Amino acid sequence: MPTLMVQGTTSDAGKTTVVAALCRWLARQGVSVAPFKPQNMALNSAVTVDGGEIGRSTALQALACGLEPHSDMNPVLLKPQSDCGAQVILRGKVYGNMDALDYHAYKAEAMASVLTSWQALGERYDVIIAEGAGSPAEINLRANDIANMGFAEAADCPVLLVGDIDKGGVFAQLVGTLALISDSEQARTAGFIINRFRGDIALLEPGLDWLAEHTGKPVFGVLPYLHGLVIDSEDSVSAAGASEPGALKVVVPVLPRISNHNDFDPLRLHSGVDLVFVGPDEPIPPADLIILPGSKSTRHDLHWLTQQGWPEAIRKHLRYGGKLLGICGGFQMLGLRVEDPDGLEGEVGKTEGLALFEMVTRMVHGKQLRQVTGRLSPEVTESGVMATMTGYEMHNGVTEGPALARPFAELEGRPDGAVSADGQVAGTYVHGLFDEPAACDAILCWAGLNTQSARSVDYQSHRLQQLDRLADQVEQCLDTDRLRSLLQL
């Protein structure tokens, strides 16, 4: 079972894109390859073909391989609910909530699930490209490690170490990381990849020669900084792209526990949309459309919205004719209240909502995880045409109330979400609703954009183009003969 693991000197060294690039490069040559991330911590996740949940970045890598995402590809997913606690997803299903110390002790047991998933993938695919998490040199986390060298040692696989030169200090990153790991871990480190380089490679070559001589490890290559690369971000909310004059102003609050912010990537690429993310203590600008995003802790983020003055800003926005859309947790916030009798998202209790819909949400055991297809309701499309849509549901809440009598969409014969009687406010449980151009056009038209002058991007095609762009860099910039030898090809 040839397995190659890509680890990074820092959390944002570019491991995800390097793994995606390697997966796409191999898949284009007809190699049966699958991605694998033993442990991930992220609030951006995707629904798998087997009805589970994995990190969004691993789902992107599955796309690079030409595969549907599967829960075996990311057996441990941690979804933070506070600064010291997280929901633990084990092989796609909710295992429970743990604080940091309890999970640290549990990792030895979690390793069994990690190895079971890895072996299951090995039975179905010829090559596995694994991705580490954070840095292998985190001294305080090395005991019972399952995310980096702990897995590599158990799987007995080689490791490539990635450093980000764009941040500076890349030689210190690489040499320092190597110095802080054990002798056996140093031995399985096959070499280095330097990522995000700008400039003339000739100026870097003396450093590369020194690195190889000093460590005895080869440099597999130097990947360039790719300008304009728009691809699924795992953690940070990425800045929006350029928009044309007179673009539709879309404003999104960056909630403390914002989840699945990749929902907005198609809007970032839309030239007719001026997308603005508003963080804590930032002024709330005028908008044509406000979108309340998903949340891992809806009641906590509702409290934050109130502290930041969003309810008053939303009421003013609606008085002046603006539109408001809530997605998943953002949809739940639009109701009368959110109840959590079992403390599934934090403390037991209830929180008053924005009271824009006559409905109540109750958090219940048994997370809804499913991929969906359907059509937008005529209330959302000025033409009355029911535009097709795709996406996925991922939530604990069950919402009930008269507001649901005017649904936002019809999903495989059942209603979803709500639209206000005046058509100004809408909400849905569906993530990824902007990915389908027809649905994106219809929603933006509802919000006030003339979509005849600016059409939505086919986001799936865009993602594949970006993945091919990454694979091209592997062919042009990395030592592919050495890579093939490492993978036993």
Side-chain angles (χ1 to χ4, degrees):
M1 190 188 340
T3 300
L4 171 63
M5 191 171 201
V6 175
Q7 298 182 15
T9 57
T10 61
S11 290
D12 194 29
K15 300 182 294 292
T16 294
T17 52
V18 170
V19 170
L22 292 173
C23 285
R24 190 66 173 169
W25 169 67
L26 290 167
R28 292 199 310 193
Q29 300 172 68
V31 176
S32 171
V33 56
F36 184 69
K37 183 148 185 167
Q39 174 189 292
N40 194 3
M41 177 177 283
L43 288 175
N44 283 335
S45 53
V47 176
T48 62
V49 68
D50 57 321
E53 181 179 1
I54 64 173
R56 180 86 176 199
S57 61
T58 309
L60 171 74
Q61 293 158 356
L63 177 65
C65 298
L67 304 174
E68 291 284 346
H70 192 281
S71 57
D72 281 333
M73 296 174 181
N74 176 204
V76 179
L77 174 63
L78 307 177
K79 304 191 78 172
Q81 292 182 310
S82 68
D83 290 342
C84 299
Q87 183 182 67
V88 180
I89 310 292
L90 203 62
R91 299 195 76 187
K93 304 300 182 184
V94 175
Y95 179 80
N97 297 334
M98 294 188 186
D99 63 30
L101 289 176
D102 287 340
Y103 178 71
H104 190 63
Y106 175 73
K107 284 193 297 185
E109 297 179 48
M111 178 62 96
S113 294
V114 167
L115 294 178
T116 298
S117 287
W118 170 66
Q119 290 163 352
L121 285 179
E123 293 172 358
R124 303 198 294 271
Y125 305 101
D126 295 336
V127 173
I128 294 172
I129 306 296
E131 179 186 354
S135 162
E138 302 288 356
I139 304 303
N140 56 312
L141 299 178
R142 285 177 56 79
N144 297 325
D145 170 57
I146 65 174
N148 290 296
M149 286 297 181
F151 168 76
E153 294 269 80
D156 192 21
C157 68
V159 171
L160 288 178
L161 189 60
V162 177
D164 179 7
I165 196 171
D166 192 50
K167 291 185 175 65
V170 71
F171 296 109
Q173 293 175 35
L174 295 168
V175 175
T177 299
L178 204 62
L180 290 173
I181 59 179
S182 70
D183 291 345
S184 63
E185 293 164 353
Q186 290 180 17
R188 74 175 58 260
T189 302
F192 310 111
I193 293 176
I194 292 178
N195 195 29
R196 301 188 182 121
F197 176 71
R198 315 181 197 223
D200 188 339
I201 192 71
L203 295 175
L204 186 61
E205 286 173 350
L208 303 181
D209 294 340
W210 175 90
L211 183 62
E213 181 179 353
H214 181 80
T215 64
K217 309 284 185 182
V219 178
F220 277 62
V222 178
L223 294 171
Y225 187 102
L226 293 180
H227 294 277
L229 182 71
V230 178
I231 206 160
D232 305 41
S233 173
E234 178 157 90
D235 298 311
S236 59
V237 178
S238 302
S243 58
E244 61 188 20
L248 188 81
K249 188 69 166 286
V250 179
V251 170
V252 180
V254 182
L255 306 173
R257 302 296 172 199
I258 187 173
S259 68
N260 295 69
H261 59 69
N262 297 108
D263 285 342
F264 304 108
D265 284 350
L267 300 185
R268 293 170 55 206
L269 296 167
H270 200 301
S271 61
V273 172
D274 179 11
L275 181 64
V276 178
F277 292 104
V278 179
D281 302 322
E282 293 181 354
I284 302 171
D288 299 299
L289 171 65
I290 293 176
I291 304 180
L292 300 182
S295 168
K296 187 66 189 73
S297 300
T298 305
R299 292 173 56 229
H300 175 275
D301 284 347
L302 254 174
H303 181 65
W304 180 87
L305 281 176
T306 300
Q307 287 182 319
Q308 295 287 315
W310 278 93
E312 181 181 349
I314 287 171
R315 287 192 292 270
K316 180 179 178 181
H317 169 74
L318 294 174
R319 283 199 306 271
Y320 282 88
K323 298 294 179 71
L324 175 66
L325 174 66
I327 299 175
C328 199
F331 169 49
Q332 295 170 346
M333 295 177 187
L334 299 177
L336 300 175
R337 63 184 178 275
V338 178
E339 302 174 350
D340 193 353
D342 298 317
L344 298 179
E345 290 192 349
E347 296 181 0
V348 172
K350 60 182 68 174
T351 300
E352 298 302 308
L354 299 176
L356 296 170
F357 282 144
E358 192 175 350
M359 66 186 198
V360 173
T361 297
R362 176 183 290 259
M363 299 300 171
V364 298
H365 292 276
K367 181 181 287 189
Q368 296 292 324
L369 291 169
R370 53 191 168 199
Q371 298 174 349
V372 297
T373 59
R375 298 180 298 176
L376 294 174
S377 295
E379 287 84 353
V380 187
T381 58
E382 292 185 6
S383 63
V385 177
M386 297 183 75
T388 59
M389 60 179 291
T390 60
Y392 57 98
E393 290 184 56
M394 182 181 295
H395 58 92
N396 284 104
V398 173
T399 302
E400 297 176 327
L404 305 185
R406 291 174 55 87
F408 175 84
E410 179 185 293
L411 304 177
E412 297 152 1
R414 60 182 175 86
D416 164 76
V419 180
S420 63
D422 61 8
Q424 278 190 269
V425 183
T428 176
Y429 267 119
V430 179
H431 291 285
L433 72 163
F434 297 117
D435 290 2
E436 188 72 31
C440 187
D441 283 341
I443 295 169
L444 294 178
C445 182
W446 165 76
L449 178 67
N450 178 7
T451 54
Q452 298 304 314
S453 59
R455 306 296 293 178
S456 297
V457 173
D458 184 335
Y459 188 56
Q460 191 75 342
S461 296
H462 169 83
R463 295 169 82 208
L464 291 170
Q465 291 167 3
Q466 299 295 289
L467 289 167
D468 281 330
R469 188 180 175 195
L470 290 173
D472 290 343
Q473 297 306 312
V474 171
E475 294 178 355
Q476 297 169 19
C477 303
L478 299 188
D479 188 336
T480 54
D481 289 338
R482 198 185 293 269
L483 282 171
R484 287 178 166 279
S485 177
L486 202 59
L487 291 166
Q488 304 171 40
L489 295 178

